[in-house]
Amino acid sequence: GWGGWWFESSHPTIAYQRTQKSAPGPVEFYNKYVIANPSLQTFESLTVTFANGARFAASKQRIRMRPKSYYEDLLEQVSWHTDPIQGFYLEAMWYDVFHPMHPQGLFGALCEVPQLPSPVATHAEMYRSAMKRFLDFMGVSESQIRRSGALSILEESDAYLRAPE
């Protein structure tokens, strides 16, 4: 679902900004480390589309479009903390890392992005809705799953429902 989770205080990119104060914000990170090209304009805001979970593939040829020093700078950004916020940024920005001639900040998102509905669902509401659709698809009732104890395990397994330490 599409919702306000990205703006909730429990979302890692919001919560980590409170605990990792020396880390750059997402747009600053995009401009400085992903675009990393002073001849391109910098962006005050942007929308990027991405495959959740940092799922992607890149050819050797595409990777070598950037110098080794570019990747060393990115590595440095994700090496200073056990769970750096920059890792979440990169999850959303891998396309731009490997497509330096076509950054989303300059050319726009890769696909149409719908407007946020009003009111927006919370992450917990979206999670419950997705779980219900899955159980319906599998032909299993929520009460059967609750009796087995599996639903509480599934609910507790989502790292994003807990605030980062």
Side-chain angles (χ1 to χ4, degrees):
W2 185 255
W5 176 56
W6 294 94
F7 309 105
E8 291 178 14
S9 62
S10 63
H11 189 278
T13 60
I14 303 297
Y16 285 20
Q17 286 175 4
R18 290 190 305 270
T19 59
Q20 298 179 23
K21 295 187 187 306
S22 64
V27 176
E28 178 187 355
F29 180 82
Y30 182 83
N31 288 324
K32 187 171 183 179
Y33 298 102
V34 176
I35 295 297
N37 183 341
S39 67
L40 285 178
Q41 72 181 64
T42 56
F43 308 96
E44 293 181 23
S45 69
L46 65 142
T47 298
V48 294
T49 54
F50 63 99
N52 196 329
R55 293 171 188 91
F56 67 92
S59 68
K60 178 170 76 172
Q61 181 181 22
R62 180 137 326 259
I63 293 167
R64 290 186 169 174
M65 291 179 80
R66 303 254 199 194
K68 182 180 176 186
S69 61
Y70 174 84
Y71 297 105
E72 290 170 340
D73 289 344
L74 288 178
L75 180 60
E76 184 178 317
Q77 284 297 302
V78 296
S79 298
W80 70 278
H81 192 276
T82 57
D83 191 13
I85 192 171
Q86 292 93 323
F88 289 95
Y89 299 162
L90 279 172
E91 176 184 9
M93 298 174 185
W94 281 123
Y95 176 87
D96 296 69
V97 167
F98 296 116
H99 294 86
M101 304 310 285
H102 199 271
Q104 294 181 78
L106 188 59
F107 291 93
L110 300 173
C111 61
E112 282 190 38
V113 180
Q115 293 293 318
L116 281 172
S118 183
V120 295
T122 66
H123 182 252
E125 290 166 339
M126 289 187 294
Y127 187 83
R128 283 191 292 276
S129 174
M131 180 62 73
K132 181 174 179 355
R133 288 191 312 273
F134 173 72
L135 294 175
D136 289 347
F137 174 77
M138 296 300 292
V140 178
S141 74
E142 188 174 328
S143 61
Q144 290 173 302
I145 296 292
R146 284 202 185 279
R147 280 195 303 271
S148 74
L151 189 59
S152 63
I153 292 168
L154 290 171
E155 289 172 338
E156 293 169 8
S157 70
D158 187 7
Y160 292 132
L161 291 178
R162 293 187 295 276
E165 296 176 5

